[in-house]
Amino acid sequence: MFVISVPFLLWTCDPVFAAKSKTFVYCTEASPKIFNPQMATDGPTFNASAQTVYNRLVDFKRGTTEVIPSLAESWTVSQDGLTYTFDLRKDVKFHSIENYTPQRNFNAEDVIFTIDRMRQKSHPYHQVNGGVYEYFSAMEMDKIIKDIKKIGDYRVQFVLSRPEAPFLANLAMDFASILSAEYGTFLLKKGRAEDLDTTPVGTGPFVFQRYVKDSMIRYKAHPDYFLGKAKIDKLVFSITPDPTVRYQKLKRGECHFAAEPSPTDVAAMESDPNIKVLHQPGLNVAYLAINTEKPPFNDVRVRRALYHALNRKAYIDAIYLGHGEVAKNPMPPTMWGYNENTKGYDYNPDQAKSLLKQAGLAKGFEVELWTLPVSRPYNPNGKKLGELMQSDLAKVGIKAKPVTYKFATYLDKASKGEHTLAQLGWSGDNGDPDNFLNMLLSCAGVKAGSNMSRWCNKKYTDLVNQAKQTSDPSRRAALYKKAQELFNTEVPWVPIAHSVVFKAMGKNVSGYTLSPLGTENFYGVDVN
């Protein structure tokens, strides 16, 4: 039987918990960057905000990439694909928090406030807390959304400047979470606009209560949630970066769910009668981003040399313990539009040396190698992967110096292009190839900060732009396959792996559903 341990009781110091309310503890791998998913692209932030506090107009059916109604009850799309009209759900209540009680329910004003904040530079919140909206900008939503019209209190119309095949799925993504316009106005009057992104108010299943930086986040169930109150009364995120420590806390009953278990612990977890482990092929890719703006990596011969120098099969064996496969494309093979015919680059140190010699670098060079500071679904051990990469690069004359930062800092600096080589990865957000090929590698992604290789190839960008502007699936797939061929020729990344994703939890946890999108949502979860 799964039992809450004495240390955990002492840690919570919560009289409500002591009164036997159901508290669910999630041992997460990293701190959120912020509590507004508009301003992030990382899983820890999405889990701590979009999946707990907020809802979107549409959502993904649990465990799938099927788009279903959420704050919008229904929608219609015009024949030319340029007008989306949403009928909104009524009687949806926003959260009450300390020092703020909403005076009205969700309506069309909140949709317009949310989208306009990202698209209009004149919006009073546009520049608050940095004013960077990576997803929105990288997907060119500011150009695609020509106008938003309030048709009534519960009807909103999006007018697009061009057809956009993945538009509906895009609105189901975390960055499109709906904020409260009334709360925004309240904070402006109080002179506390920054709180909109750090003390969130949404319509979601859990109400934000408190964040202790790099330690824990506390939520309580939203009593008036429009889909019904959550089965658990309180939700605690215990921020625990070390996967071994997360496993030990799971064993001791100090958490009910451990994020991103290390592959080295999976066999032991599966043999423990108090722990259950779920797994599925990840909709993800791990990669080494090459900053193509910085010499010598502005020379494609050097990028190809790097690709040949890295023994990626050995990484699958040592880091993933076989629970993954070597990547050759920038999107996973389980996704439609995947190009089976690209060849990738084999492990060939001699060829790497030859290419370096052709580039005038026969004596090698020194470079920083940024290693991921946290375990992620696509990369369970960035430090060890860095050591293996460092060894491989030394064999061809490249002296790599490992460098890392706290996760939020790491992502922030990489998005600004401060790195030369950086381990990164991506879990798909909406099941569409556009989410990988456009978001991570287009010219718009360079400006938005999501294209970490800073590779702006107009031919490539034209291909992915054509693909998302046609509704013919076979035509779209053909264009995406051509884009993958160009990626393979130009090598802005070294693709590393597509991993199997594991989830570990106590045997007494029920109602959890694995998401192909890599995020964690604990609505519907119970502790028996």
Side-chain angles (χ1 to χ4, degrees):
M1 184 177 177
F2 196 83
V3 178
I4 300 295
S5 69
V6 171
F8 174 64
L9 286 171
L10 293 174
W11 174 70
T12 60
C13 293
D14 187 329
V16 177
F17 179 81
K20 295 183 180 179
S21 65
K22 286 187 177 180
T23 297
F24 185 88
V25 181
Y26 168 52
C27 284
T28 181
E29 74 277 30
S31 304
K33 178 181 176 183
I34 199 165
F35 284 90
N36 182 351
Q38 294 179 327
M39 312 181 85
T41 58
D42 62 291
T45 295
F46 292 155
N47 292 337
S49 58
Q51 299 297 316
T52 45
V53 175
Y54 294 109
N55 295 105
R56 291 142 292 282
L57 288 178
V58 292
D59 215 330
F60 296 110
K61 184 178 179 180
R62 292 181 73 192
T64 77
T65 56
E66 178 187 348
V67 176
I68 60 172
S70 185
L71 291 176
E73 287 186 315
S74 61
W75 58 87
T76 57
V77 185
S78 63
Q79 283 195 341
D80 61 6
L82 293 176
T83 304
Y84 287 68
T85 304
F86 294 91
D87 286 308
L88 307 182
R89 189 184 295 268
K90 298 176 182 175
D91 302 323
V92 174
K93 296 186 183 305
F94 280 103
H95 303 155
S96 293
I97 60 170
E98 187 177 3
N99 298 324
Y100 173 71
T101 302
Q103 301 300 307
R104 65 162 176 81
N105 293 339
F106 159 77
N107 65 29
E109 298 289 348
D110 302 304
V111 180
I112 292 170
F113 172 83
T114 297
I115 302 300
D116 278 353
R117 178 191 178 167
M118 293 186 281
R119 79 187 186 102
Q120 291 186 341
K121 292 181 180 177
S122 60
H123 192 281
Y125 273 94
H126 186 76
Q127 293 297 334
V128 172
N129 289 317
V132 176
Y133 309 97
E134 279 187 37
Y135 259 115
F136 196 77
S137 300
M139 298 166 76
E140 297 189 300
M141 296 289 273
D142 48 345
K143 297 177 181 174
I144 295 165
I145 299 173
K146 184 178 176 182
D147 197 10
I148 307 175
K149 299 177 181 176
K150 176 182 172 182
I151 307 301
D153 285 348
Y154 295 97
R155 178 170 285 182
V156 172
Q157 198 170 74
F158 286 70
V159 180
L160 309 190
S161 59
R162 67 191 189 210
E164 180 76 1
F167 183 70
L168 198 59
N170 292 347
L171 291 185
M173 292 168 61
D174 299 80
F175 82 93
S177 294
I178 301 299
L179 313 183
S180 164
E182 184 191 52
Y183 182 48
T185 300
F186 169 83
L187 291 174
L188 279 178
K189 289 179 180 176
K190 295 287 184 183
R192 297 181 2 233
E194 291 79 7
D195 288 5
L196 188 72
D197 307 318
T198 57
T199 309
V201 166
T203 58
F206 297 101
V207 181
F208 173 85
Q209 289 191 289
R210 188 160 65 101
Y211 173 45
V212 179
K213 185 174 172 54
D214 298 332
S215 176
M216 66 95 177
I217 313 165
R218 299 183 67 83
Y219 309 86
K220 65 178 181 181
H222 181 15
D224 300 313
Y225 186 47
F226 66 87
L227 293 176
K229 180 181 169 295
K231 294 176 180 175
I232 52 178
D233 300 295
K234 290 184 174 292
L235 174 63
V236 176
F237 280 29
S238 174
I239 299 165
T240 313
D242 188 324
T244 301
V245 176
R246 290 199 296 273
Y247 174 34
Q248 294 304 315
K249 291 174 78 167
L250 183 62
K251 284 178 66 176
R252 293 196 298 265
E254 294 177 15
C255 58
H256 298 95
F257 192 106
E260 318 309 341
S262 169
T264 58
D265 294 329
V266 168
M269 287 179 172
E270 289 178 329
S271 65
D272 188 323
N274 292 319
I275 294 175
K276 58 183 174 184
V277 180
L278 306 181
H279 62 86
Q280 69 179 8
L283 194 71
N284 63 35
V285 62
Y287 62 94
L288 182 68
I290 306 169
N291 190 334
T292 59
E293 291 180 342
K294 290 186 176 180
F297 296 107
N298 54 349
D299 185 331
V300 70
R301 293 171 297 185
V302 182
R303 302 199 296 270
R304 290 171 182 163
L306 196 73
Y307 204 153
H308 278 302
L310 299 178
N311 187 354
R312 298 171 300 140
K313 175 63 171 63
Y315 307 160
I316 299 295
D317 295 339
I319 306 295
Y320 299 83
L321 302 183
H323 301 301
E325 61 180 293
V326 173
K328 62 178 183 179
N329 288 319
M331 58 186 269
T334 51
M335 181 169 278
W336 65 269
Y338 181 81
N339 193 332
E340 296 281 358
N341 297 320
T342 54
K343 300 296 183 184
Y345 291 63
D346 62 346
Y347 173 56
N348 190 334
D350 290 337
Q351 182 65 18
K353 290 178 184 176
S354 175
L355 285 164
L356 290 175
K357 186 177 180 181
Q358 293 173 33
L361 295 167
K363 294 182 179 179
F365 56 91
E366 297 183 6
V367 68
E368 284 188 352
L369 172 62
W370 289 21
T371 60
L372 207 63
V374 295
S375 50
R376 300 293 299 130
Y378 44 76
N379 182 354
N381 194 331
K383 182 175 184 293
K384 187 172 181 180
L385 180 60
E387 291 169 355
L388 295 175
M389 287 179 165
Q390 184 183 32
S391 174
D392 283 343
L393 294 176
K395 292 172 187 172
V396 300
I398 301 174
K399 187 176 181 181
K401 176 187 174 185
V403 172
T404 196
Y405 303 94
K406 282 190 174 183
F407 190 43
T409 304
Y410 186 97
L411 294 178
D412 184 55
K413 293 172 78 69
S415 69
K416 294 174 181 173
E418 295 181 17
H419 63 293
T420 303
L421 301 176
Q423 294 174 4
L424 287 157
W426 192 256
S427 294
D429 291 292
N430 64 8
D432 194 289
D434 179 76
N435 184 239
F436 284 83
L437 302 186
N438 182 39
M439 184 75 190
L440 304 180
L441 289 158
S442 69
C443 293
V446 175
K447 293 179 182 176
S450 59
N451 179 344
M452 306 292 191
S453 65
R454 307 186 71 78
W455 176 64
C456 177
N457 183 292
K458 291 184 178 177
K459 186 176 179 181
Y460 174 93
T461 296
D462 285 346
L463 288 168
V464 296
N465 280 338
Q466 287 178 50
K468 66 179 182 172
Q469 292 175 40
T470 178
S471 57
D472 179 352
S474 60
R475 172 68 176 152
R476 292 189 73 198
L479 290 164
Y480 286 136
K481 288 179 180 180
K482 285 184 179 177
Q484 289 165 76
E485 290 170 3
L486 195 54
F487 167 90
N488 192 56
T489 301
E490 291 296 316
V491 193
W493 308 346
V494 178
I496 304 296
H498 307 294
S499 72
V500 174
V501 173
F502 292 94
K503 304 293 178 183
M505 65 203 80
K507 270 281 171 60
N508 61 341
V509 173
S510 61
Y512 175 79
T513 302
L514 266 168
S515 169
L517 306 175
T519 49
E520 304 297 1
N521 187 318
F522 298 113
Y523 180 70
V525 169
D526 201 356
V527 183
N528 303 314

